[in-house]
Structure formats: structure tokens, C-alpha cells
Amino acid sequence: MLKDRSLRDIEPQHFISQDGLLEVDLIAVPSVYPIGRHQAQLLTYNGQAPGPILEARAGDTMRVHFTNQLTQSTNLHFHGLHIPPTGTGDNVFLEVPPGETWTYEFALPRNHPAGLAWYHPHYHGLVAEQVYSGLAGPILIRGDLDEVPEVKAADETLIVLKDFGLTRSGQVATPNALFKRWGREGDLLTVNGQLRPSYGLTAGQLKRLRILNAATSKIFRLALDDHALQIIATDGGALQKPIKVDELVLAPGERVDVLVQANQKPGTYPLLSLPYDRGIAKMMDKPLETSVLADFTYDGAAEAEPMPLPEILIPVAPLSAPSTIRELVLDHGIAPGSGAPFLINGKAFDHGRIDTQVKLGTVEDWVLVNKASMDHPFHLHTNAFQVIERNGEPVVDLVWKDTVNLEAYETVKIRVKFSDYAGKTVYHCHILDHEDQGMMGIIEMRA
């Protein structure tokens, strides 16, 4: 176990590719990490929570020498990267036992979209426990969006949202049976591993907030007091033009880039976590409350003319008509044999069963039906998709996603093109306790 990190600088490590190669040593290790007044006994990458920032460009090679110093098996999932799902790529079926090292190595496609991705464990049965204990880190892929003049001129701040539940002695609290079933949540809401950190705003400047929900189960409903949010990118990359909102909802695994015009009077403005009921409020037995996640304070007292927002970002071409339409029903029940309580199309996850076979190069529509009384965010590995309908109504603004939240009893239609990589991977609910308890399927992509 690493020593108390309160005695060290808690600025995150930031690894940037050089000459087309990002090569890093990444260690999963128990660590003592300061969260407010708590000395939290977490699982970390390189002693950090969140883990080091990995930054590369489209076309770069990433080489991650991963060492498991935990007492459990684990692995890595590169959530949001379009890379091979097999071999030394995004292989979620791989096991890295305690004490062993595995090198992940893959090349990012030269046309890989710019955006915010992340890495976290995906060893089935332990995913929720390990992510909840601190294992998560951001990946920045630089590219065309970063070269849009207004975006390039903006001041950039990374926001990794994560909740923790700790005992008085600082250990990660073991959830009771009910919370483990419905999805564990903690009452310590952190931004970049800190409680209510402060960030600067310069009057007249654009602030680019790059936000990742790295929670195990918690859905964040966010607002920045007295400031509009201009969405410029989602999970799968840039939008065609900014979309103005006053608040946004991020389910576990979702990411968003927003621009904020620093056009208010000098002062301190809180980033708020507003109440959101994902269907378990009564079981939580406590009222939903507004919390302050971070503060944004204007530097200096002078007001300035705000920098303009971009009018055009990156074109988003609609996918062609589908050759196949499938329905995936997310529901609760008891799977025969395993007893798992979370199901897709009436079945719980089985390592030995392929649930869906697709052909590379084809476009499919997937109708996702949530028949449950709680939210289920759906995540597809390897290939991003476009959300084209919600509850039968067309979606006007096309965006690229890899995770989409389905509210209780909601139906969402997504359109996906299976590109470049053959092999097996998975799709699942990103409430990670639900994934561990059966709500996952295996997809095989055939050449």
C-alpha cells in the first residue's frame, strides 16, 4: 500500500504522447488518499484518484504497461476508444491476476474523433466494487475539435465526478444488500478527487469544461449558477454546432464538453449537483438534496466583453439506413441457473454465450426498451452510435454517443455502424452493480 498522499502533491500525473507514442506505466494499487478530512483507503492508479491523465492524438500508438498490485484480479477497459476489442487492445475478457503485468498496445485510427474517454476496470463481478473504490482515469484524444479557433482559445478544465462512501476509519463502505442490488452510491461527492475545489474564471473568457461521470451508479444533474452551458461534444465526439442548456444530466460513463462564457459579475458561482431520482429515492430513505460540487470564482474585478462562441464545430453526418433492426429489452427478473436479477432479453450475462452477431461494415438500428421502474444507462463497446428516436419521437440534433441513459419505461432507438474491428466485446447497463449482476450481453463482430 502506498503511504498517505496528504504529504505529497496531489496534482495528477499527466502523460502526453511524444513522436506518435504514448507509453506509460500504470499500477493498480491500494493507497491512502486524502478526501477532505478523511484519509481514505482507496484503490488507485499510480496512487491517484482519479488516475493519471493520458493524452494522445488520432493516429498515435498507446502502450500501457499495466501492473496489478491488488489482492483481486482486474483488467482495463478503454471506454470510448475505437480500437480492437481483442488481443492487446480493449480486451475486457482478459484477466490480470494479482502481482502480474500486462502490456496493452494499440494504434488509434488516424480518423479517431477528438474527445474525452476514460479507463477503468472491467473484470466481470468486481467492476462495481473496484470502480467505487477509486479505479478510474481520464483519456484525452486531441484532434480537429481542439483546433476550432474559439475552442482552442478557451481555458480548459477537466472535471472528473466521483462519489465515495467511507467508514469512520476511512475504508470504502461495503454496501448493504439492497444498495448492492440497486446500485451503490456514496455521500462524498468529489471533483478530481477533492471536496468542493475552486477554479478560476477570467471575465470575458471562454471556459471549456470537460466533464466525466466516473461514478459507479450515481446520475448527476448539473448546473453552473447563473451561467448557460454550451454543449460542444458528447461521448463520441464533437457536435456540429453548440447546443445551449441550463443544466445537463450525466449517467455513469457519459462525458460532455461544454463552453461557458464568463459574462457575469465578478463573484463565486457554484457548480451544483441538483436532485435526480433514478428510481431508488424511496429505498435511499433520505431526501434528495442540492449539493455544491465545486466553486468557480472570477479572477480580478474588471468586466470584459465576452469572447464569442463558435458557430460551427465538426460536421455530424447521419448514418445510412439500417440493414437490420434489433430489440433489446432491459428488465429485472431471476435468471434460471444463475439467479441474477438484471436481464437483457430475459437472459443474464453468460461468458460462454454470444448474444448478438453482426457483420462488419453494416448499419443496424437497436431499439432499447427499458421495462424497469429505474434508469438503465446503456453502453456499447468499440463503436459509437447516434441516438435517433426517444419514445417514438425523432431526435433533432444528431450527436455521437457510446452511452445513453434510459429512464424508467423509456424506449430509445440508436443507429450504429460496425466498423474496422472484428471480434467479441460487450454491451451492458453502466450502473455497474447491474452489469455485475447480469445486465450485459456479448456481441461478436464478424468480417
Side-chain angles (χ1 to χ4, degrees):
M1 177 179 288
L2 294 184
K3 294 181 180 179
D4 184 346
R5 260 196 113 228
S6 64
L7 303 177
R8 293 183 279 159
D9 186 1
I10 61 173
E11 277 295 309
Q13 292 176 306
H14 189 161
F15 298 106
I16 303 175
S17 62
Q18 301 292 328
D19 300 321
L21 175 64
L22 176 63
E23 185 166 15
V24 300
D25 293 316
L26 197 66
I27 303 172
V29 59
S31 304
V32 177
Y33 191 91
I35 299 179
R37 59 182 176 82
H38 304 275
Q39 295 302 309
Q41 299 176 44
L42 304 181
L43 304 182
T44 67
Y45 293 120
N46 292 13
Q48 302 187 351
I53 301 167
L54 309 184
E55 181 174 332
R57 301 189 67 85
D60 285 352
T61 292
M62 293 181 64
R63 186 180 298 145
V64 181
H65 305 289
F66 175 64
T67 301
N68 180 10
Q69 292 187 3
L70 309 178
T71 60
Q72 305 169 321
S73 291
T74 190
N75 60 17
L76 289 179
H77 168 42
F78 299 93
H79 183 139
L81 297 189
H82 181 59
I83 56 175
T86 56
T88 60
D90 189 25
N91 187 350
V92 297
F93 301 108
L94 180 73
E95 176 183 3
V96 183
E100 293 196 9
T101 295
W102 176 263
T103 295
Y104 292 89
E105 183 170 349
F106 48 85
L108 296 168
R110 294 190 180 278
N111 63 348
H112 197 291
L116 172 60
W118 63 304
Y119 57 94
H120 65 80
H122 214 290
Y123 186 71
H124 185 63
L126 296 175
V127 181
E129 176 183 336
Q130 292 182 356
V131 173
Y132 190 63
S133 297
L135 290 178
I139 303 173
L140 303 178
I141 305 300
R142 298 293 181 182
D144 49 7
L145 176 61
D146 304 284
E147 299 305 317
V148 174
E150 295 88 351
V151 177
K152 190 173 184 177
D155 180 59
E156 184 173 302
T157 297
L158 179 64
I159 300 288
V160 179
L161 301 174
K162 183 80 180 66
D163 60 327
F164 292 97
L166 302 175
T167 66
R168 290 184 178 181
S169 62
Q171 294 178 318
V172 175
T174 301
N176 63 37
L178 189 61
F179 268 110
K180 186 175 181 180
R181 177 165 181 170
W182 298 125
R184 67 195 80 192
E185 292 189 25
D187 56 359
L188 296 176
L189 305 184
T190 66
V191 171
N192 300 335
Q194 302 175 57
L195 295 178
R196 198 168 178 171
S198 295
Y199 300 97
L201 287 172
T202 300
Q205 192 175 30
L206 283 180
K207 171 72 80 172
R208 181 185 184 184
L209 300 181
R210 313 197 68 178
I211 307 173
L212 156 65
N213 182 356
T216 305
S217 307
K218 183 173 177 60
I219 297 176
F220 285 91
R221 177 175 159 231
L222 304 172
L224 181 58
D225 195 33
D226 285 339
H227 290 77
L229 305 174
Q230 302 281 346
I231 301 174
I232 62 169
T234 52
D235 310 333
L239 277 60
Q240 186 158 299
K241 60 182 180 179
I243 297 176
K244 180 181 177 180
V245 298
D246 293 321
E247 61 182 54
L248 52 89
V249 174
L250 279 189
E254 287 190 295
R255 292 89 66 209
V256 68
D257 277 24
V258 298
L259 291 178
V260 177
Q261 287 184 305
N263 56 7
Q264 298 299 317
K265 294 180 179 179
T268 296
Y269 296 83
L271 176 65
L272 301 173
S273 174
L274 302 172
Y276 185 90
D277 180 12
R278 62 180 176 92
I280 65 165
K282 291 182 179 179
M283 288 176 276
M284 292 175 67
D285 196 29
K286 62 179 181 180
L288 296 172
E289 299 177 345
T290 296
S291 301
V292 176
L293 296 171
D295 290 308
F296 285 83
T297 301
Y298 279 79
D299 300 324
E303 296 187 41
E305 187 71 21
M307 291 174 58
L309 294 163
E311 295 183 5
I312 299 295
L313 296 166
I314 307 299
V316 179
L319 290 171
S320 59
S323 59
T324 302
I325 299 176
R326 302 179 191 269
E327 183 178 82
L328 275 67
V329 177
L330 285 63
D331 204 355
H332 307 167
I334 301 297
S338 69
F342 293 96
L343 313 174
I344 298 179
N345 287 351
K347 298 177 181 178
F349 176 71
D350 183 338
H351 274 284
R353 186 188 68 234
I354 295 173
D355 299 279
T356 304
Q357 291 181 333
V358 301
K359 186 176 176 58
L360 284 184
T362 60
V363 175
E364 295 194 1
D365 278 1
W366 287 14
V367 180
L368 310 175
V369 181
N370 184 4
K371 285 193 173 180
S373 59
M374 64 175 62
D375 292 26
H376 286 300
F378 178 87
H379 172 47
L380 174 64
H381 288 214
T382 307
N383 292 287
F385 52 78
Q386 296 174 350
V387 179
I388 60 172
E389 285 185 11
R390 280 190 177 271
N391 298 317
E393 295 296 323
V395 172
V396 176
D397 296 304
L398 280 182
V399 299
W400 287 106
K401 298 281 289 173
D402 58 50
T403 307
V404 59
N405 190 44
L406 277 72
E407 297 181 5
Y409 307 116
E410 187 174 26
T411 296
V412 171
K413 182 186 287 187
I414 64 173
R415 183 164 293 171
V416 55
K417 182 177 182 180
F418 297 97
S419 303
D420 301 322
Y421 305 117
K424 293 191 301 182
T425 190
V426 295
Y427 49 83
H428 58 86
C429 176
H430 220 287
I431 303 293
L432 297 178
D433 280 299
H434 298 175
E435 172 199 329
D436 279 338
Q437 296 175 85
M439 195 171 276
M440 181 161 70
I442 293 177
I443 178 173
E444 182 181 36
M445 298 166 286
R446 292 184 169 183

